[in-house]
Amino acid sequence: MVRRAGLLSLMLAPMGGCTLWSNMLSPQQPVSDCPAVTRATAWVDQMPRIGSGDHKMIVALSLDDDRPWLLTPVPSGTPGLLTLELSPGGPAVPGHAGYRESAGKAKRETISIVCGGEERARIDQITIAM
């Protein structure tokens, strides 16, 4: 009897893993309580550095909220436009959100911050820090 239960649990374990994996890949529900963006800045860090490390483009937000927030890129069909989805969580300091990517990836002209399916902020000027 114990052998059957052990065998059955081994056979069903991969199904639980598949369910967990599909839940992780499924799109998250839109956030209904999006905070107001009080400050949105973006810059490319081109300071001289030792070695061959890539320069980074950095996006920083200040939010009217006391929770940490996360910025994740979402596909946009427009070249030069970076769309970032704002969602609760992440390693940010409460009331702030940030995003970094290699500056060599693609030339960004505009950054759109989206939360709850609506654009909350737009950055049209990306500073070059030298």
Side-chain angles (χ1 to χ4, degrees):
M1 187 66 159
V2 173
R3 221 181 266 173
R4 282 187 190 170
L7 184 60
L8 182 61
S9 67
L10 287 175
M11 290 173 43
L12 294 177
M15 292 178 69
C18 291
T19 303
L20 176 64
W21 183 255
S22 67
N23 287 341
M24 288 174 27
L25 293 179
S26 65
Q28 296 187 0
Q29 298 297 325
V31 179
S32 60
D33 62 340
C34 295
V37 177
T38 57
R39 184 172 172 217
T41 57
W43 68 93
V44 176
D45 178 7
Q46 289 191 343
M47 298 295 285
R49 58 183 83 239
I50 298 172
S52 61
D54 289 339
H55 296 293
K56 301 281 185 196
M57 185 192 64
I58 302 161
V59 179
L61 299 181
S62 293
L63 306 165
D64 187 18
D65 195 41
D66 59 356
R67 297 175 288 174
W69 289 81
L70 178 68
L71 287 171
T72 52
V74 293
S76 70
T78 309
L81 173 68
L82 172 63
T83 303
L84 297 172
E85 179 74 31
L86 183 63
S87 57
V93 175
H96 295 84
Y99 174 75
R100 292 175 180 243
E101 75 175 17
S102 174
K105 260 183 141 176
K107 175 135 173 62
R108 306 295 189 178
E109 298 168 7
T110 305
I111 301 168
S112 175
I113 309 299
V114 179
C115 183
E118 295 179 16
E119 185 175 76
R120 302 296 174 158
R122 189 172 197 85
I123 303 170
D124 293 320
Q125 184 177 10
I126 301 171
T127 305
I128 307 295
M130 294 185 159

